[in-house]
Amino acid sequence: KNVITLPMQPVERLNDLLNQADIHLLPQTADEADLVMPSRLTGMMSSGRPTIATAHPGTQLFHAVQGRGLATTPGDAGSFIAALLRLVDDPLLRHQLGDQARKFAVDFLNRDQVLGSFEHALLESCGLPPRSATASITRVTAKDLPVEESLMTSGKGGG
């Protein structure tokens, strides 16, 4: 009774819809979680709400969610449900993770940071020096950020 499924919504409503959630769910198959970073994660984190994502340790998605939500093993429904119940039952943790998600989105997922890092990577891959405008941008990836292993949920009762 607490889950609402809506038909496809216009993009103009996206911000309002993301801000209405208490917890964002990002279930993916193992192949998807290891392949690409989901673009919808940016909006989810920007909303200041935690995300529960399925991702293997070591993937970019896993590192992005750590300390800002919870990651569970893809395909492990019990672990996913345990993570959801953990956040439902712990409003303080939910708010702490959401605050960290928002901070991460503002600091590292803003347009200038993302495009500057992309330009830097392109120039670097071509063996060219960075342009002066992007030279001062610190290149930060999710892997460089601290991981709080204590927030990882296992399918064996959490923890």
Side-chain angles (χ1 to χ4, degrees):
K1 68 180 180 179
N2 293 329
V3 176
I4 300 169
T5 303
L6 300 173
M8 182 68 81
Q9 298 292 301
V11 71
E12 299 83 35
R13 293 207 55 221
L14 181 59
N15 190 48
D16 291 334
L17 293 170
L18 289 171
N19 288 321
Q20 287 179 13
D22 294 313
I23 302 166
H24 292 287
L25 306 178
L26 186 55
Q28 301 190 122
T29 65
D31 293 341
E32 291 171 332
D34 296 341
L35 191 58
V36 296
M37 177 69 85
S39 60
R40 62 190 172 272
L41 184 62
T42 300
M44 291 173 167
M45 293 179 110
S46 295
S47 75
R49 309 310 192 279
T51 299
I52 300 172
T54 55
H56 287 293
T59 62
Q60 188 178 18
L61 177 57
F62 178 90
H63 288 291
V65 171
Q66 286 302 295
R68 300 162 200 95
L70 301 175
T72 66
T73 304
D76 185 347
S79 179
F80 195 79
I81 292 167
L84 179 58
L85 293 175
R86 181 176 178 194
L87 291 183
V88 166
D89 293 338
D90 192 341
L92 180 61
L93 177 61
R94 193 170 61 238
H95 290 292
Q96 289 171 339
L97 294 174
D99 288 347
Q100 289 303 310
R102 173 70 181 166
K103 182 176 178 1
F104 179 79
V106 168
D107 291 348
F108 299 107
L109 301 179
N110 68 70
R111 183 179 62 193
D112 292 339
Q113 181 71 33
V114 170
L115 291 177
S117 293
F118 180 66
E119 180 183 34
H120 180 85
L122 283 176
L123 291 171
E124 188 178 71
S125 70
C126 294
L128 300 171
R131 294 168 23 128
S132 61
T134 59
S136 64
I137 293 177
T138 303
R139 187 171 167 204
V140 177
T141 66
K143 266 188 149 174
D144 299 323
L145 300 170
V147 174
E148 298 198 23
E149 296 296 335
S150 64
L151 296 178
M152 183 65 184
T153 302
S154 73
K156 298 176 181 73

